[in-house]
C-alpha cells in the first residue's frame, strides 16, 4: 500500500492571529453570526516567479498583513518591505493573486469588509490593488480600483468574462455594516488591460448576501 507522508513546515516568524475584539451583536442583536470574525484571510501566488507558491496572510488589530515567501527547503520567510493594513481602521475580508496588468507577474487584490466598527460609503470599505514591479515587489496602485465602499465583501474571483485577453473581477458583497439583512452591492470590475478597473452594471449587482462565487459556462 502506498503511503503519503507530510512534514510540518514552520514560518520563520510566528503568524498567530489574535481574535478580534469586535462584537457585531452589540450593534445588531438579531444577527445570526458575527460577520467581522472572518480572518485571517489567506491567498497564494508566486510573487517573485521562482516557481514556488508564496502566501499572503492578513493581519489583526495588533499586526499588519504580510506575504511569506516559500523557500526551496519548504520553509517560509517574510517578504521584505511589504506590510499593509490596520485592522483597527479597515478590515481585510478577501484577497486574491492574479495578473492584473498582463506583465506575467502576480498582483494582489485586497477586498475590505467588517461590520461593527465601520460604516458604508467610507474609506474603510474601499478595496485596494497592489501591482508587481517585475522584481518581486508590490506597490499600491492608486486610483486603479473604482468606488467599492458600499458594502463589506466576501470574495474576489478573477475571470476574463468579456474575452479581451485580460482578467476581470467579480467582487462579492457580503453585508452592509449596520443594515443587516439588506442586500449589499456586489461588483463586476472590468479590466482595461493595464490593471485599471471600471465598475460595470450587471444583473447580480444586488443578488443578495454573497458568501462565495464561481465563474462557469453553461451554454453549449
Amino acid at each position: 500500500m502506498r503511503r503519503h507522508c507530510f512534514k510540518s513546515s514552520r514560518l520563520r516568524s510566528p503568524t498567530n492571529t489574535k481574535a478580534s475584539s469586535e462584537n457585531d451583536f452589540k450593534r445588531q442583536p438579531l444577527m445570526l453570526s458575527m460577520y467581522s470574525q472572518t480572518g485571517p484571510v489567506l491567498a497564494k501566488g508566486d510573487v517573485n516567479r521562482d516557481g514556488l507558491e508564496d502566501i499572503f496572510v492578513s493581519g489583526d488589530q495588533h499586526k499588519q498583513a504580510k506575504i511569506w515567501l516559500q523557500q526551496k527547503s519548504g520553509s517560509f520567510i517574510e517578504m521584505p518591505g511589504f506590510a499593509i493594513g490596520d485592522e483597527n481602521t479597515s478590515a481585510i475580508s478577501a484577497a486574491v493573486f492574479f495578473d492584473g496588468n498582463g506583465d506575467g507577474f502576480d498582483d494582489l487584490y485586497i477586498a475590505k469588509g467588517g461590520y461593527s466598527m465601520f460604516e458604508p460609503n467610507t474609506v474603510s470599505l474601499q478595496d485596494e490593488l497592489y501591482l508587481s514591479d517585475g522584481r518581486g515587489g508590490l506597490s499600491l496602485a492608486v486610483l486603479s480600483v473604482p468606488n467599492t465602499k458600499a458594502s463589506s465583501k466576501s470574495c474576489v474571483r478573477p475571470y476574463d468574462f468579456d474575452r479581451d485577453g485580460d482578467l476581470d473581477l467579480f467582487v462579492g458583497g457580503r453585508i452592509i455594516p449596520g443594515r443587516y439583512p439588506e442586500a449589499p452591492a456586489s461588483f463586476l470590475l472590468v479590466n482595461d488591460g493595464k490593471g485599471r478597473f471600471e465598475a460595470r452594471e450587471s444583473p447580480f449587482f444586488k443578488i443578495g448576501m454573497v458568501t462565495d462565487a464561481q465563474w462557469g459556462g453553461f451554454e453549449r
Side-chain angles (χ1 to χ4, degrees), residues 31 34 49 61 63 80 112 115 123 130 135 141-142 213:
M31 294 174 64
M34 291 201 295
R49 290 187 69 181
Q61 293 177 324
K63 62 179 180 294
K112 299 298 183 67
Y115 193 82
V123 69
Y130 291 82
R135 300 184 300 274
V142 181

Side-chain angles (χ1 to χ4, degrees), residues 4-25:
H4 299 274
C5 297
F6 297 89
K7 293 182 179 180
S8 63
S9 178
R10 294 183 179 275
L11 302 179
R12 175 173 293 180
S13 298
T15 57
N16 294 332
T17 301
K18 295 184 179 180
S20 171
S21 60
E22 299 176 45
N23 188 337
D24 296 348
F25 297 131

Side-chain angles (χ1 to χ4, degrees), residues 73-135:
S73 63
S75 62
F76 291 79
I77 63 172
E78 182 180 333
M79 177 176 168
F82 186 87
I84 63 170
D86 180 354
E87 296 285 317
N88 295 287
T89 60
S90 182
I92 296 173
S93 58
V96 67
F97 283 106
F98 75 114
D99 186 2
N101 55 5
D103 65 353
F105 286 85
D106 277 346
D107 308 304
L108 178 63
Y109 187 98
I110 298 292
K112 299 298 183 67
Y115 193 82
S116 65
M117 296 172 57
F118 309 119
E119 296 292 340
N121 301 310
T122 62
V123 69
S124 296
L125 298 182
Q126 177 59 39
D127 295 355
E128 298 171 342
L129 176 65
Y130 291 82
L131 292 178
S132 171
D133 60 8
R135 300 184 300 274

Side-chain angles (χ1 to χ4, degrees), residues 42 44 48 53 64 99 102 104 109 133 160 173 183 187 212 220:
L42 304 177
K44 65 178 182 178
N48 50 12
E53 288 186 333
Q64 293 180 292
D99 186 2
Y109 187 98
D133 60 8
D160 183 13
F187 304 90
D212 204 348
R220 297 193 178 188

Side-chain angles (χ1 to χ4, degrees), residues 44-204:
K44 65 178 182 178
D46 187 1
V47 178
N48 50 12
R49 290 187 69 181
D50 62 356
L52 301 173
E53 288 186 333
D54 310 308
I55 303 174
F56 168 84
V57 184
S58 66
D60 55 34
Q61 293 177 324
H62 306 280
K63 62 179 180 294
Q64 293 180 292
K66 297 179 180 179
I67 292 175
W68 296 86
L69 303 177
Q70 185 175 178
Q71 307 301 293
K72 291 182 179 180
S73 63
S75 62
F76 291 79
I77 63 172
E78 182 180 333
M79 177 176 168
F82 186 87
I84 63 170
D86 180 354
E87 296 285 317
N88 295 287
T89 60
S90 182
I92 296 173
S93 58
V96 67
F97 283 106
F98 75 114
D99 186 2
N101 55 5
D103 65 353
F105 286 85
D106 277 346
D107 308 304
L108 178 63
Y109 187 98
I110 298 292
K112 299 298 183 67
Y115 193 82
S116 65
M117 296 172 57
F118 309 119
E119 296 292 340
N121 301 310
T122 62
V123 69
S124 296
L125 298 182
Q126 177 59 39
D127 295 355
E128 298 171 342
L129 176 65
Y130 291 82
L131 292 178
S132 171
D133 60 8
R135 300 184 300 274
L138 292 166
S139 58
L140 178 63
V142 181
L143 302 180
S144 288
V145 179
N147 186 346
T148 59
K149 304 184 188 81
S151 60
S152 293
K153 294 72 162 197
S154 60
C155 62
V156 186
R157 298 290 175 256
Y159 185 74
D160 183 13
F161 84 96
D162 53 7
R163 299 183 179 181
D164 62 353
D166 53 46
L167 289 173
D168 311 298
L169 298 170
F170 169 77
V171 183
R174 186 70 180 101
I175 199 167
I176 303 175
R179 290 158 61 178
Y180 171 87
E182 183 178 333
S186 294
F187 304 90
L188 178 62
L189 303 184
V190 181
N191 194 344
D192 70 353
K194 299 179 181 179
R196 292 188 294 268
F197 290 85
E198 178 183 359
R200 180 173 298 181
E201 290 187 10
S202 68
F204 42 77

